[in-house]
């Protein structure tokens, strides 16, 4: 055994953790090497010192302080329990509501289409109307920024229409008897997307 | 777990580990008053987390881990504060006056010097020294508490002891030179 090997096993040797064969080799090396013997003695001293460090006694009131703090926490918890329950109920309602709205949301493609969708409530397609019954009513999504046009038999009549809160209203006058065609075009200013809807209806009698 | 059961369990843990956890923290930081506060924190944390204890490790391993993590965090904060306030660590009594072969006198000095020195050992060596020598834990238990291999426990223990030994020798030499 050389000095390097001896020192690498010194700690285990001192603590009596080596097998018999290794211990014998260590003892043999100790007998012949004064440097390693000095090292061994130092190791023994440090081992004795470390093993001789006594435990420190914790301060007397420590346990009392711990239990006091825990009692205080428990009291606080009990006091807050009804409030916590109420808050949990509100949180649960909120989560359910959000989940419901989330599940009900339109898919992204539908949402984009809805943004510029126009719903022509009147006139209905291929329907017969008396002249004073004819009303063009279109519903838009009010929160978006649109540009729209209404054509009646190919003529732009946008300026005659009113646009109030997402509803477009046109009351054409003096329509001749016969088929008429109404076309509503809408363009979303943000995305530039557009949609159109047209209807053919029959107007009775002369206006 | 009911409040009463939790409290009963806490008292059992205090009976078994209060002194040990206090010592672990005390030797880690070397400050009696602070060790008291941190020990209190550790048991309160453990009490709050008792419901989460899954029994995957023993109570003492679990409690020691809480103590080590909590103390390390506190020390980190403190060292940052020290860094910003430019405080110097306390000066240690240190250099050896009596001759090493003066037996009991040397031993008394060395023991005092070692106690003073332990809190300033590098963290990884200090932990294993505290657990092995002061708490009497086996290599296996230390490995479990610290989440390291038994080989690492042994090598850290040996390195920590070497550092203390070197430091003692250095102090002896400087002490003699200054005589």
């Amino acid at each position: 055994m050389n000095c390097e090997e001896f020192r690498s096993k010194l700690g285990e040797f001192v603590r009596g953790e080596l097998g018999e064969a290794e211990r014998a080799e260590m003892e043999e090396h100790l007998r012949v090497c004064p440097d390693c013997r000095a090292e061994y003695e130092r190791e023994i001293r440090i081992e004795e010192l470390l093993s001789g460090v006594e435990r420190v006694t914790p301060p007397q009131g420590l346990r009392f302080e711990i239990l006091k703090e825990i009692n205080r926490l428990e009291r606080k918890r009990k006091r807050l329990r009804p409030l916590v329950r109420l808050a949990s109920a509100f949180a649960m309602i909120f989560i359910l509501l959000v989940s419901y709205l989330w599940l009900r949301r339109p898919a992204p493609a539908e949402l984009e289409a809805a943004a510029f969708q126009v719903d022509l409530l009147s006139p209905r397609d291929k329907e017969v109307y008396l002249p004073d019954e004819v009303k063009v009513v279109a519903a838009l999504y009010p929160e978006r920024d649109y540009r729209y046009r209404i054509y009646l038999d190919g003529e732009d009549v946008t300026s005659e229409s009113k646009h109030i809160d997402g509803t477009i209203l046109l009351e054409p006058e003096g329509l001749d008897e016969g088929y008429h065609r109404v076309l509503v075009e809408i363009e979303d200013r943000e995305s530039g997307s557009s949609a159109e809807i047209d209807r053919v209806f029959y107007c009775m009698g002369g206006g | 777990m009911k409040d009463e059961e939790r409290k009963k369990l806490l008292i059992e843990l205090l009976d078994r580990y209060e002194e040990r956890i206090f010592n672990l923290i005390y030797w880690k930081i070397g400050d009696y008053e602070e060790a008291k506060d941190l020990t209190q924190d550790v048991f309160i944390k453990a009490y709050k987390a008792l419901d989460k204890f899954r029994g995957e490790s023993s109570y003492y391993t679990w409690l020691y881990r809480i103590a080590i993590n909590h103390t390390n965090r506190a020390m980190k904060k403190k060292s940052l504060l020290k860094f910003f306030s430019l405080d110097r660590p306390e000066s240690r009594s240190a250099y050896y006056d009596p001759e090493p072969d003066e037996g009991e006198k040397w031993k008394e000095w060395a023991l005092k010097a070692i106690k003073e020195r332990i809190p300033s050992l590098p963290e990884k060596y200090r932990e294993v020294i505290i657990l092995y020598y002061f708490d009497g834990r086996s290599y296996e238990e230390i490995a479990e508490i610290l989440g390291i291999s038994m080989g690492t426990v042994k090598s850290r223990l040996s390195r920590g002891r070497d550092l203390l030994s070197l430091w003692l020798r250095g102090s002896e030499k400087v002490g003699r030179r200054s005589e």
Side-chain angles (χ1 to χ4, degrees):
Chain A
M1 177 173 278
N2 59 31
C3 297
E4 203 180 322
E5 277 176 280
F6 178 88
R7 293 194 188 183
S8 73
K9 288 178 184 165
L10 187 53
E12 287 164 279
F13 179 58
V14 166
R15 289 191 299 278
E17 292 164 359
L18 291 182
E20 206 167 319
E22 276 180 314
R23 204 170 59 229
E25 279 183 65
M26 294 290 279
E27 277 161 3
E28 176 59 25
H29 185 82
L30 261 185
R31 217 168 47 76
V32 295
C33 177
D35 283 351
C36 283
R37 197 161 52 244
E39 194 62 34
Y40 165 77
E41 276 158 14
R42 277 190 212 105
E43 190 73 22
I44 287 277
R45 279 199 315 195
I46 202 98
E47 191 71 20
E48 277 173 4
L49 281 172
L50 283 169
S51 306
V53 175
E54 300 133 17
R55 275 199 194 155
V56 178
T57 312
Q60 271 210 327
L62 178 60
R63 180 177 297 211
F64 174 72
E65 291 293 329
I66 293 169
L67 292 172
K68 198 170 86 178
E69 180 61 16
I70 279 168
N71 284 336
R72 195 186 66 78
L73 288 174
E74 284 298 331
R75 277 199 304 276
K76 194 174 154 194
R77 201 162 63 94
K78 278 179 188 152
R79 237 186 3 253
L80 289 175
R81 207 174 275 167
L83 285 177
V84 170
R85 280 199 189 133
L86 195 65
S88 316
F90 273 119
M92 189 49 80
I93 291 169
F94 179 74
I95 289 166
L96 286 174
L97 190 66
V98 168
S99 316
Y100 174 75
L101 291 175
W102 177 253
L103 290 170
R104 284 286 310 269
R105 82 200 190 284
E110 289 162 359
L111 199 69
E112 189 56 28
F116 52 86
Q117 196 176 330
V118 54
D119 196 0
L120 196 50
L121 304 173
S122 167
R124 278 173 290 179
D125 206 21
K126 297 181 187 88
E127 192 64 78
V128 179
Y129 292 90
L130 289 170
D132 54 356
E133 280 178 345
V134 178
K135 280 188 180 128
V136 178
V137 184
L140 305 174
Y141 288 85
E143 64 275 9
R144 303 279 296 212
D145 187 14
Y146 299 109
R147 183 187 295 133
Y148 73 90
R149 294 256 153 236
I150 304 182
Y151 299 90
L152 186 59
D153 301 319
E155 193 188 334
D156 189 341
V157 289
T158 313
S159 59
E160 292 169 42
S161 71
K162 293 173 205 159
H163 182 200
I164 308 154
D165 287 332
T167 305
I168 299 164
L169 179 67
L170 173 74
E171 293 176 277
E173 283 175 10
L175 282 180
D176 298 330
E177 179 162 359
Y179 285 102
H180 297 275
R181 185 177 184 208
V182 64
L183 174 74
V184 179
E185 275 182 355
I186 180 157
E187 187 193 335
D188 183 351
R189 283 181 201 266
E190 279 174 43
S191 63
S193 317
S194 61
E196 58 181 43
I197 188 162
D198 67 346
R199 297 276 162 84
V200 173
F201 62 95
Y202 190 86
C203 183
M204 286 178 55
Chain B
M1 200 184 287
K2 283 181 191 164
D3 289 354
E4 280 315 301
E5 285 173 44
R6 293 203 311 171
K7 223 172 262 177
K8 213 173 139 192
L9 186 54
L10 178 84
I11 290 170
E12 258 179 58
L13 292 177
L14 279 166
D15 282 343
R16 278 150 105 182
Y17 303 116
E18 180 188 357
E19 191 184 302
R20 288 174 162 226
I21 295 288
F22 178 81
N23 270 266
L24 171 73
I25 297 174
Y26 171 73
W27 289 112
K28 263 171 89 70
I29 58 174
D31 182 321
Y32 194 80
E33 275 308 306
E34 213 174 335
K36 179 188 162 192
D37 293 344
L38 291 175
T39 306
Q40 187 175 331
D41 293 347
V42 167
F43 278 98
I44 289 166
K45 268 185 171 213
Y47 178 75
K48 286 183 183 166
L50 272 177
D51 289 334
K52 289 180 208 147
F53 177 73
R54 294 274 170 262
E56 283 154 6
S57 59
S58 54
Y59 273 118
Y60 89 81
T61 310
W62 177 69
L63 206 53
Y64 274 42
R65 280 188 189 149
I66 297 178
I68 286 172
N69 290 338
H70 187 64
T71 312
N72 287 350
R73 264 199 296 276
M75 283 165 73
K76 216 177 256 177
K77 259 191 219 164
K78 206 176 159 191
S79 68
L80 276 180
L81 285 178
K82 269 195 177 165
F83 176 78
F84 285 115
S85 66
L86 297 174
D87 270 357
R88 299 246 173 247
E90 290 165 36
S91 65
R92 301 193 176 274
S93 75
Y95 297 121
Y96 179 63
D97 280 336
E99 289 295 317
D101 30 341
E102 281 178 52
E104 282 308 304
K105 213 173 169 190
W106 179 86
K107 208 170 166 184
E108 204 180 299
W109 169 81
L111 197 59
K112 186 166 174 272
I114 279 208
K115 283 180 183 174
E116 284 181 348
R117 192 67 186 168
I118 281 162
S120 57
L121 266 182
E123 187 57 40
K124 55 184 181 178
Y125 306 130
R126 185 172 25 173
E127 268 170 7
V128 288
I129 287 207
I130 294 169
L131 291 168
Y132 184 84
Y133 287 105
F134 307 165
D135 201 54
R137 294 287 161 203
S138 68
Y139 293 143
E140 208 172 352
E141 287 170 328
I142 299 172
E144 200 192 343
I145 292 166
L146 298 177
I148 54 180
S149 70
M150 283 219 324
T152 310
V153 173
K154 284 185 190 175
S155 65
R156 285 187 187 175
L157 197 60
S158 157
R159 182 78 189 121
R161 214 175 26 225
D162 285 352
L163 284 176
L164 285 174
S165 176
L166 274 174
W167 179 80
L168 270 186
R169 266 187 267 167
S171 301
E172 283 172 12
K173 277 181 200 158
V174 176
R176 272 193 219 115
R177 262 207 303 275
S178 65
E179 273 169 15

